[in-house]
């Protein structure tokens, strides 16, 4: 049998009071809006960890752009020298061309004065004696031969001069393009650094203190990993010495290359240590400031080894070795874009020019985590 009870109105009870459905929806909306309003400021402001990551990313992007700037600057310098050389060559050839043109003009004037281009029967009839004809024929023959040589020289010089002018024009165009690349790279670096400064300037004193604490924790972890690597390397070296001891009684040729490298590396490291405390300045190669690749280039130059200017060229300027086999003097590269480099000093430590606002210093190669390490290269 069907129920005759009336259905209960849809709604909820608030403090014992039954509320209609529309009222419930309104209350729910108000509650949600209130939650959203309260949460909005927190959601809009990034966390301290997010700020730190963003700043680090901006510094890395600035360093990558610095490499682009350094490459464009180096290319611009070489291109400007090439343009200067070509323009000097064009000027010299133009002078020779003018001299050849003047010589042709003198021949034309001579022909005009004689009234003929070459001896003929009429000249013989006008000559007073056969000897006069012979002398005139000899003169005009020599004149014609010299004139032909002058014309050949003029045509050859004109062709060479035109070719050099075209080369100079092309080089000037390339120079203009590299100067434009240089300007773009410089603007990119400055923009990244400005963005990083803006982010840091928005932090409160308390947030900056927390950021420093986070950085200290990272450094402690990096130091711990460096100590572990030092122990592993020491154990591996000891094992290698024990294995090679019985077979090393004969010759010393196997240790000669190691000795040579160690000597050069010692000079590079001595130079790098002398730069500790000098500021990082993007694009700088010393002697008062350095960027990362500027420091490694200058250090190895002090040891008599020429390295390319930028990191993504330096990484190919030697033999790649494993991190476990890293030795003092080796170059340690960082990140997938190879935008940073330091000089390994042993025991998991390196000397490097870290980033804008910092100074050349000794630091663990794990300063940005193990995943940040790209490769190790022995440059000599």
């Amino acid at each position: 049998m069907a129920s005759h009870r009336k259905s209960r109105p849809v709604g909820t009870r608030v403090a014992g009071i039954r509320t209609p459905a529309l009222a419930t929806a309104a209350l729910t909306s108000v509650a949600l809006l209130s939650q959203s309003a309260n949460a909005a400021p927190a959601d809009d402001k990034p966390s301290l960890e997010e700020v730190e990551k963003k700043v680090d990313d901006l510094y890395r992007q600035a360093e990558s752009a610095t490499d682009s700037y350094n490459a464009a600057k180096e290319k611009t310098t070489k291109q400007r020298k090439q343009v200067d050389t070509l323009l000097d060559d064009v000027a010299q050839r133009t002078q020779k061309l003018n001299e050849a043109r003047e010589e042709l003009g003198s021949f034309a004037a001579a022909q005009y004065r004689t009234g003929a281009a070459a001896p003929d029967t009429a000249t013989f009839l006008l000559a007073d004696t056969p000897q006069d004809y012979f002398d005139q024929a000899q003169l005009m023959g020599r004149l014609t031969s010299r004139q032909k040589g002058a014309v050949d020289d003029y045509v050859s010089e004109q062709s060479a001069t035109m070719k050099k002018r075209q080369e100079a024009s092309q080089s000037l165009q390339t120079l203009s393009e590299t100067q434009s690349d240089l300007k773009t790279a410089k603007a990119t670096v400055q923009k990244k650094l400005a963005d990083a400064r803006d982010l840091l300037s928005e932090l409160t004193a308390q947030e900056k203190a927390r950021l420093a604490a986070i950085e200290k924790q990272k450094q402690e972890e990096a130091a711990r990993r460096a100590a572990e690597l030092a122990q592993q390397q020491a154990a591996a070296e000891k094992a290698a010495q024990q294995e090679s001891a019985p077979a090393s009684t004969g010759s010393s040729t196997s240790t000669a290359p190691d000795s040579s490298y160690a000597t050069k590396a010692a000079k590079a490291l001595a130079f790098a240590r002398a730069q500790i405390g000098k500021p990082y300045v993007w694009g700088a190669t010393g002697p008062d400031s350095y960027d990362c690749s500027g420091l490694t280039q200058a250090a190895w130059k002090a040891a008599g080894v020429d390295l390319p200017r930028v990191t993504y060229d330096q990484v190919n300027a030697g033999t790649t070795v494993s991190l476990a086999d890293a030795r003092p003097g080796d170059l340690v590269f960082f990140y997938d874009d190879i935008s940073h480099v330091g000089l390994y000093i042993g025991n998991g430590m390196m000397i490097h020019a870290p980033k804008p606002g910092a100074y050349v210093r000794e630091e663990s190669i794990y300063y940005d985590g193990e995943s940040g390490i790209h490769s190790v290269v022995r440059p000599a």
Side-chain angles (χ1 to χ4, degrees), residues 41-53:
D43 291 342
D44 288 343
K45 186 175 182 179
S47 67
L48 197 58
E49 288 75 12
E50 289 173 336
V51 170
E52 181 195 31
K53 184 179 185 305

Side-chain angles (χ1 to χ4, degrees), residues 58-70 181-197 280-283 291 356:
L58 285 168
Y59 278 143
R60 279 203 294 271
Q61 291 169 23
E63 202 160 27
S64 181
T66 296
D67 264 349
S68 298
Y69 170 84
N70 290 337
D181 292 342
L182 184 66
K183 184 178 180 180
T184 299
K186 182 177 181 179
T188 301
V189 174
Q190 292 174 330
K191 178 66 166 60
K192 299 298 181 185
L193 296 180
D195 289 346
R197 286 194 298 268
Y280 175 104
V281 174
W282 65 274
D291 63 17

Side-chain angles (χ1 to χ4, degrees), residues 11-44:
T12 58
R13 289 180 177 270
V14 178
I17 303 174
R18 181 181 299 161
T19 59
L22 289 176
T24 300
L27 287 173
T28 303
S29 298
V30 169
L32 290 174
L33 287 172
S34 177
Q35 292 174 3
S36 298
N38 292 333
D43 291 342
D44 288 343

Side-chain angles (χ1 to χ4, degrees), residues 84-308:
D84 290 343
T85 300
L86 285 169
L87 290 177
D88 288 343
D89 194 4
V90 167
Q92 293 173 5
R93 289 183 179 277
T94 300
Q95 179 62 30
K96 289 181 180 179
L97 195 61
N98 291 336
E99 292 172 357
R101 186 181 292 112
E102 290 174 3
E103 188 175 7
L104 284 177
S106 67
F107 284 135
Q111 287 180 344
Y112 177 78
R113 287 194 300 270
T114 60
D120 55 14
T121 305
T123 305
F124 174 74
L125 293 174
L126 292 172
D128 293 334
T129 66
Q131 184 62 42
D132 289 340
Y133 172 79
F134 178 78
D135 292 342
Q136 187 175 355
Q138 288 291 97
L139 175 63
M140 295 302 294
R142 288 196 301 273
L143 185 64
T144 303
S145 176
R146 288 179 60 194
Q147 183 180 14
K148 182 178 183 301
V151 170
D152 289 344
D153 289 344
Y154 177 82
V155 172
S156 176
E157 197 63 47
Q158 186 181 44
S159 176
T161 301
M162 290 299 295
K163 183 178 180 181
K164 287 298 179 181
R165 283 176 178 170
Q166 290 175 354
E167 289 180 17
S169 177
Q170 291 173 354
S171 291
L172 282 169
Q173 177 63 30
T174 303
L175 176 61
S176 177
E177 292 172 356
T178 52
Q179 286 176 328
S180 177
D181 292 342
L182 184 66
K183 184 178 180 180
T184 299
K186 182 177 181 179
T188 301
V189 174
Q190 292 174 330
K191 178 66 166 60
K192 299 298 181 185
L193 296 180
D195 289 346
R197 286 194 298 268
D198 290 344
L199 280 172
L200 291 173
S201 67
E202 294 174 359
L203 296 178
T204 65
Q206 185 178 6
E207 288 173 330
K208 289 179 180 178
R210 282 182 55 203
L211 200 60
I214 293 173
E215 181 64 23
K216 184 178 179 180
Q217 290 178 351
K218 287 173 62 177
Q219 291 178 354
E220 290 173 351
E221 173 60 20
R224 184 187 67 78
R225 288 290 293 117
E228 290 178 357
L229 178 63
Q231 292 176 353
Q232 294 169 5
Q233 289 177 332
E237 185 176 350
K238 184 177 180 180
Q241 289 175 349
Q242 291 175 347
E243 290 178 3
S244 61
S248 62
T249 56
S251 65
S252 61
T253 55
S254 61
T255 60
D258 291 344
S259 176
S260 174
Y261 180 76
T263 300
K264 293 177 181 178
K267 292 179 180 179
L269 289 171
F271 179 92
R273 284 193 175 93
Q275 313 314 308
I276 290 176
K278 293 183 178 180
Y280 175 104
V281 174
W282 65 274
T285 56
D288 299 322
S289 58
Y290 297 88
D291 63 17
C292 65
S293 57
L295 176 64
T296 52
Q297 183 189 47
W300 270 105
K301 186 176 182 179
V305 177
D306 290 328
L307 292 180

